[in-house]
Amino acid sequence: MGAVLAARRSFGRRVPDTLEVTERTVHTDWCGVLAAELPLPEPLGAVLLVHH
């Protein structure tokens, strides 16, 4: 199983986390989260996207 966070622009800062918070999640390959900054032109500016 896989997942994708995609955009037509390049992402800025990216922060992944495996969410290994319990014994159950340690053994779950698809458990995780990614937060990524997407810089957009004004008036929007930077947008934070999160995929879990």
Side-chain angles (χ1 to χ4, degrees):
M1 176 180 276
V4 174
L5 180 62
R8 291 184 180 191
R9 297 178 175 268
S10 296
F11 288 107
R13 185 171 170 229
R14 296 171 302 276
V15 180
D17 191 336
T18 58
L19 295 179
E20 294 177 355
V21 295
T22 67
E23 272 299 311
R24 191 173 130 207
T25 59
V26 169
H27 302 292
T28 306
D29 294 335
W30 49 266
C31 189
V33 66
L34 174 68
E37 180 183 58
L38 185 61
L40 297 175
E42 293 297 330
L44 295 174
V47 175
L48 179 63
L49 302 170
V50 179
H51 188 288
H52 64 86

